[in-house]
């Protein structure tokens, strides 16, 4: 037991150390970040956070932009992936294995290779500088992973549940809405978080589709943070931006923690 606790503590330290270092750096003055002989009075500062919120546009605008894009991407992906995953789970075994193989290949495909094609699409359909339009390629790129996760969850449900609902006279849409989708809530929550994280952190597409400063998403805005000169690197500002950008993700995980870890499916089967 003691050895297990040691390993757990080591894993926690390994996982939390980068975030702790960023947090400390965000409250450290520029002098403290490059020199060790700084007094306590001169080490700590809130200037990096002040600079972010008095910038033009203010940093909170980028947080809102990323939240809008990630939320719309998540909702659009789930709206399309849930019925598609149900259909995939109900295919014959041979078709299901072949389809899953193709979907897995699509999920593993490096989407950076689609960079130029997506840029041409944005130009052709005038989708640039539109946060709502940015969710379209994000949802398409998130779809393979969502299909794999949700179809596996649908396959894990016993057929007796759907047969009983069908005997009660429920239509397919009613069975999905009132019986099947609530039972795969943990898988849906996990999928939603993964899609949200992808849309929140995505950089190449946002860099090319969005050029207006007030519409930039968080990763692009952080990359544009500049120092006082071309020879200086604003480590403190980067750290502060990283901390602020991580807060919504931490809140999201805390909010959906119960849905992720709870055994709703097992509870329904046992009942």
């Amino acid at each position: 037991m003691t050895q297990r606790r040691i390993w757990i503590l080591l894993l926690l330290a390994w996982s939390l150390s980068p975030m702790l270092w960023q947090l400390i750096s965000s409250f450290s003055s520029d002098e403290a970040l490059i020199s060790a002989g700084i007094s306590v009075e001169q080490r700590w500062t809130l200037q990096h956070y002040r600079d972010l919120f008095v910038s033009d546009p203010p940093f909170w605008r980028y947080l809102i932009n990323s939240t809008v894009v990630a939320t719309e991407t998540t909702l659009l992906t789930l709206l399309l992936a849930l019925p598609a995953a149900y259909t995939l789970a109900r295919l014959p075994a041979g078709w299901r294995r072949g389809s899953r193989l193709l979907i897995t290949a699509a999920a593993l495909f490096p989407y950076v290779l689609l960079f130029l094609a997506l840029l041409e699409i944005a130009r052709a359909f005038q989708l640039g500088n539109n946060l709502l339009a940015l969710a379209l390629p994000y949802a398409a790129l998130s779809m393979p992973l969502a299909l794999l996760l949700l179809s596996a969850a649908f396959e894990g449900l016993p057929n007796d549940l759907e047969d009983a609902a069908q005997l009660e006279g429920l239509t397919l849409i009613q069975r999905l809405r009132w019986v099947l989708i609530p039972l795969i809530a943990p898988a849906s929550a996990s999928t939603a978080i993964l899609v949200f994280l992808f849309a929140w952190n995505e950089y190449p597409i946002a860099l090319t589709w969005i050029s207006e400063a007030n519409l930039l998403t968080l990763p692009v805005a952080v990359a544009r943070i500049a120092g006082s000169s071309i020879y200086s690197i604003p480590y403190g500002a980067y750290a502060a931006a990283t901390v602020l950008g991580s807060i919504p993700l931490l809140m999201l995980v805390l909010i959906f923690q119960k849905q992720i870890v709870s055994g709703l499916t097992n509870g329904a089967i046992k009942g």
Side-chain angles (χ1 to χ4, degrees):
M1 182 64 68
T2 302
Q3 186 177 6
R4 180 181 299 179
R5 290 180 179 177
I6 293 176
W7 280 109
I8 292 176
L9 290 177
L10 290 175
L11 289 174
L12 287 175
W14 176 269
S15 302
L16 298 179
S17 293
M19 191 62 193
L20 181 61
W21 180 263
Q22 289 290 83
L23 183 63
I24 295 174
S25 299
S26 68
F27 290 105
S28 300
S29 62
D30 293 332
E31 294 78 9
L33 291 173
I34 59 177
S35 176
I38 299 297
S39 62
V40 176
E41 293 79 8
Q42 296 178 341
R43 179 175 183 83
W44 306 111
T45 180
L46 294 174
Q47 188 61 41
H48 303 308
Y49 291 95
R50 295 194 192 100
D51 292 341
L52 290 177
F53 284 104
V54 299
S55 61
D56 185 25
F59 190 78
W60 56 263
R61 182 180 293 274
Y62 306 134
L63 293 173
I64 293 178
N65 293 342
S66 290
T67 301
V68 170
V69 173
T71 301
E72 185 190 14
T73 301
T74 303
L75 294 176
L76 180 59
T77 302
L78 290 180
L79 180 64
L80 299 176
L82 282 169
Y86 170 81
T87 303
L88 178 61
R90 295 299 183 264
L91 288 176
W95 284 93
R96 187 166 60 246
R97 284 192 296 268
S99 300
R100 183 161 295 159
L101 182 62
L102 294 176
I103 294 173
T104 303
L108 297 176
F109 186 83
Y111 80 90
V112 178
L113 298 180
L114 302 175
F115 177 76
L116 293 178
L118 291 174
L119 180 59
E120 290 300 323
I121 292 175
R123 289 176 176 175
F125 293 95
Q126 298 182 352
L127 300 178
N129 292 319
N130 190 328
L131 293 178
L132 299 181
L134 192 58
L136 297 177
Y138 286 1
L141 294 171
S142 303
M143 192 64 63
L145 179 60
L147 284 175
L148 292 174
L149 295 175
L150 295 175
S151 63
F154 277 120
E155 289 181 22
L157 297 178
N159 294 328
D160 294 342
L161 287 174
E162 188 172 3
D163 293 340
Q166 192 170 4
L167 288 175
E168 292 293 331
L170 298 182
T171 63
L172 176 58
I173 296 179
Q174 290 174 332
R175 295 198 301 271
L176 284 172
R177 179 180 179 182
W178 301 112
V179 180
L180 300 179
I181 292 180
L183 291 177
I184 64 167
S188 299
S190 302
T191 303
I193 289 178
L194 291 176
V195 173
F196 191 94
L197 288 175
F198 166 76
W200 184 272
N201 294 319
E202 201 283 327
Y203 178 78
I205 298 177
L207 177 65
T208 55
W209 282 44
I210 303 296
S211 60
E212 294 184 9
N214 61 339
L215 294 177
L216 295 179
T217 57
L218 187 61
V220 180
V222 172
R224 293 192 178 186
I225 294 178
S228 57
S229 70
I230 60 174
Y231 301 105
S232 65
I233 301 177
Y235 294 109
Y238 285 146
T242 301
V243 172
L244 291 175
S246 301
I247 292 176
L249 303 182
L250 293 175
M251 294 177 59
L252 181 68
V253 173
L254 291 176
I255 292 173
F256 288 96
Q257 182 181 10
K258 184 177 179 181
Q259 286 84 346
I260 295 174
V261 301
S262 63
L264 295 182
T265 301
N266 292 334
I269 294 173
K270 292 178 181 178

